[in-house]
Amino acid sequence: MGSVVSERAQRPSADATRQRILEAALDAFADQSFDGASLRNIASVAGVTQPLLNYHFRSKADLWRAVVDELFDRLNVTLGHHLRSLVDVEDRIVVHHMVRRFVEFSAHNPQLHRIITSECRADSSRMDYLVEQHIRPLYDAVTTLFARLAVAGDLPDIPPAHLYYLLTGAAPTMFVLGPECRRLSGLDPTDDDVIRTHADAVCTLLFGATHPQTGEYLPPSPPLTGRAHD
Amino acid sequence: MGSVVSERAQRPSADATRQRILEAALDAFADQSFDGASLRNIASVAGVTQPLLNYHFRSKADLWRAVVDELFDRLNVTLGHHLRSLVDVEDRIVVHHMVRRFVEFSAHNPQLHRIITSECRADSSRMDYLVEQHIRPLYDAVTTLFARLAVAGDLPDIPPAHLYYLLTGAAPTMFVLGPECRRLSGLDPTDDDVIRTHADAVCTLLFGATHPQTGEYLPPSPPLTGRAHD
DNA sequence: GCTGTACCTAATCAGTTGATAAGGGATCTG
DNA sequence: CAGATCCCTTATCAACTGATTAGGTACAGC
């Protein structure tokens, strides 16, 4: 077994090694945050030695950026793929589908929101990178889409606070707290029913409920009457 | 001015020092997570030297527990205080008020959810402590309350996924991402209108919308019709 | 005044971190 | 075959971490 083919099999090829490092780093950063994750641990999981991480990626910070870039690339590819598959569908339904895909992706890639929330601090250059490079484009795209639908009369006016939820609020935390979710309520975040319920909840939060008989949309409204005392 | 009183003023008293340390540690753990926060930085912010932290609190882990205990004590005192102030009020309204208070507390104490989310990993003894000591009691209390209201016919049946949201999902993330919330959408998480909108959204998510004319409750429902393709 | 105790600091410890330098070995190119 | 390049490891670096020890100072009780 010493032919040209077996040479390839013996040596895992640099790209494969790079990929294994990225995967190990993704889990480490998500589980233990940037400071808690050590290059030696990541290297150990990837089956290599620590200096190799500094060889392929210049520094720990650059490794982190590579991890984040690949993660958001996967998200954008997934959303774009499903968006293109939705032709001749009512805009309102498109929104619901995309929310569903986002929740789905979040459920199967809990690292996404774990990394975001673990990096959230005022003076963090990594948070700056996350927001400006990846989150803001998504947020702007969603804002633009919703504004277009509102003008077309296809959606009710959505309060900014509810809109902000879509990307940062309602969807993520359940997956950030995935293991505890299971521990407390017995729910499996990756279960299809849970994902659907979750997406429906987000849409209800955005658009309000639909009257079962008339199909009329009702905006999110407080069960509190106007006269709130205390 | 060299009397007994001025002696007190000169020496900050051990309790005050302890409190300053706890406050500095709370901010540090919330901003930089457990591993990222160093005892020397915390001590510096508190105006003392690092070994004093090991003197008052045995270890870094014990300091973290003291911080968490005090934080949840404040939450429970706040919720308990408002709960006792709500007499002769319809149960459904009580729930809304309590959600409002929880959102309010979260907005003014963003460290609460930052610490929770930063500690979320499968094999973390600190997460175990958080869940078993503080989160589970809250979760059980809310579950019990909602079950009682459902039996009394005062609330619609609430899907477990929505209920889970109340404590871990809808409310927290906007405050975890507080600074970015402001950066992206211009919203101020501590603004009263934002807090009210936020609490209303959570309640809508739990109870569904209220029909403006009939007052009829509509459960959270998907804008998707039954025939979801793809 | 003497002693003991509570609160706090300077000095120091071993362990871990990210980063770098030096070198080995395989592959490719001439 | 000779040299260059790529991929990877061992050895080592300074910096920083949490923790400990020893000491110092103020106050309380006797």
Side-chain angles (χ1 to χ4, degrees):
Chain A
M1 45 158 114
S3 72
V4 182
V5 177
S6 74
E7 284 180 353
R8 266 245 172 109
Q10 279 178 348
R11 176 171 45 88
S13 96
D15 277 356
T17 301
R18 242 186 86 104
Q19 199 56 36
R20 279 210 322 280
I21 293 173
L22 280 175
E23 285 170 20
L26 174 63
D27 289 337
F29 286 140
D31 277 357
Q32 304 161 350
S33 84
F34 184 81
D35 291 303
S38 79
L39 293 185
R40 281 174 177 80
N41 275 340
I42 296 172
S44 165
V45 171
V48 296
T49 56
Q50 172 255 324
L52 192 64
L53 306 205
N54 291 83
Y55 172 78
H56 280 299
F57 313 87
R58 222 176 51 86
S59 66
K60 188 183 185 183
D62 284 349
L63 171 61
W64 182 87
R65 273 190 287 271
V67 164
V68 164
D69 287 347
E70 211 219 24
L71 183 58
F72 273 89
D73 280 351
R74 283 215 320 266
L75 171 63
N76 287 323
V77 166
T78 300
L79 291 185
H81 167 74
H82 284 109
L83 189 57
R84 278 187 295 274
S85 78
L86 293 173
V87 291
D88 297 329
V89 179
E90 194 182 342
D91 282 339
R92 186 172 45 84
I93 307 292
V94 170
V95 170
H96 190 271
H97 268 292
M98 297 311 289
V99 168
R100 172 88 168 266
R101 297 310 173 193
F102 181 62
V103 171
E104 209 166 46
F105 184 89
S106 301
H108 289 97
N109 300 271
Q111 302 98 340
L112 174 67
H113 300 296
R114 292 221 194 149
I115 285 183
I116 294 176
T117 54
S118 77
E119 288 303 332
C120 184
R121 42 183 294 208
D123 60 341
S124 163
S125 64
R126 291 191 299 276
M127 196 63 209
D128 290 344
Y129 184 84
L130 267 176
V131 170
E132 300 306 329
Q133 222 62 54
H134 296 296
I135 298 181
R136 184 180 295 280
L138 274 173
Y139 184 78
D140 288 346
V142 172
T143 304
T144 304
L145 172 66
F146 279 25
R148 186 168 64 78
L149 296 183
V151 166
D154 218 9
L155 283 181
D157 272 348
I158 295 172
H162 290 184
L163 180 55
Y164 182 77
Y165 255 19
L166 181 61
L167 277 179
T168 66
T173 320
M174 179 176 263
F175 309 118
V176 173
L177 296 170
E180 321 320 324
C181 167
R182 212 174 279 114
R183 181 153 35 151
L184 279 170
S185 65
L187 290 175
D188 176 9
T190 62
D191 182 82
D192 268 351
D193 283 341
V194 172
I195 289 176
R196 187 171 33 77
T197 303
H198 197 150
D200 292 347
V202 173
C203 287
T204 298
L205 190 137
L206 286 173
F207 310 139
T210 312
H211 195 288
Q213 271 82 41
T214 68
E216 172 189 13
Y217 277 100
L218 300 174
S221 62
L224 254 189
T225 57
R227 43 178 177 79
H229 59 95
D230 167 317
Chain B
M1 50 157 102
S3 70
V4 183
V5 179
S6 74
E7 285 179 354
R8 265 241 172 113
Q10 280 179 346
R11 177 170 45 88
S13 96
D15 278 355
T17 301
R18 243 184 87 104
Q19 199 57 34
R20 278 210 323 280
I21 293 174
L22 280 175
E23 286 171 21
L26 174 63
D27 289 336
F29 286 140
D31 278 356
Q32 306 162 351
S33 84
F34 184 81
D35 292 303
S38 79
L39 293 185
R40 280 174 177 81
N41 276 340
I42 296 173
S44 165
V45 171
V48 296
T49 57
Q50 173 256 326
L52 191 65
L53 306 204
N54 290 83
Y55 172 76
H56 280 299
F57 313 88
R58 223 176 52 88
S59 66
K60 188 183 185 182
D62 284 350
L63 171 61
W64 182 87
R65 274 190 286 271
V67 163
V68 165
D69 287 347
E70 212 221 24
L71 183 59
F72 273 88
D73 280 352
R74 283 216 320 267
L75 171 62
N76 287 324
V77 166
T78 299
L79 292 184
H81 166 74
H82 285 109
L83 189 57
R84 276 188 296 275
S85 77
L86 295 171
V87 290
D88 296 331
V89 178
E90 195 183 339
D91 281 339
R92 185 173 46 83
I93 308 292
V94 169
V95 170
H96 191 271
H97 269 291
M98 297 311 288
V99 169
R100 173 89 169 265
R101 296 311 173 192
F102 181 62
V103 172
E104 209 166 48
F105 184 90
S106 301
H108 290 97
N109 300 271
Q111 304 98 339
L112 173 66
H113 300 295
R114 293 223 193 146
I115 285 183
I116 293 175
T117 54
S118 77
E119 288 304 332
C120 184
R121 43 183 293 208
D123 59 341
S124 161
S125 64
R126 291 190 299 276
M127 195 65 207
D128 290 344
Y129 184 83
L130 266 176
V131 170
E132 298 307 329
Q133 289 296 310
H134 296 296
I135 297 181
R136 185 180 294 280
L138 274 173
Y139 185 78
D140 288 346
V142 172
T143 305
T144 304
L145 170 65
F146 278 25
R148 187 168 63 78
L149 297 183
V151 167
D154 218 7
L155 284 182
D157 272 350
I158 295 173
H162 290 184
L163 180 54
Y164 182 78
Y165 255 18
L166 181 62
L167 279 179
T168 66
T173 319
M174 178 176 262
F175 309 118
V176 172
L177 296 170
E180 323 317 325
C181 167
R182 213 175 278 113
R183 184 158 25 158
L184 280 172
S185 65
L187 291 175
D188 176 10
T190 63
D191 182 82
D192 269 352
D193 282 342
V194 173
I195 290 176
R196 186 170 34 75
T197 304
H198 197 150
D200 292 348
V202 173
C203 286
T204 298
L205 189 138
L206 286 172
F207 309 139
T210 312
H211 194 288
Q213 271 81 43
T214 67
E216 173 190 11
Y217 276 101
L218 299 174
S221 62
L224 254 190
T225 57
R227 40 176 180 82
H229 58 96
D230 169 315

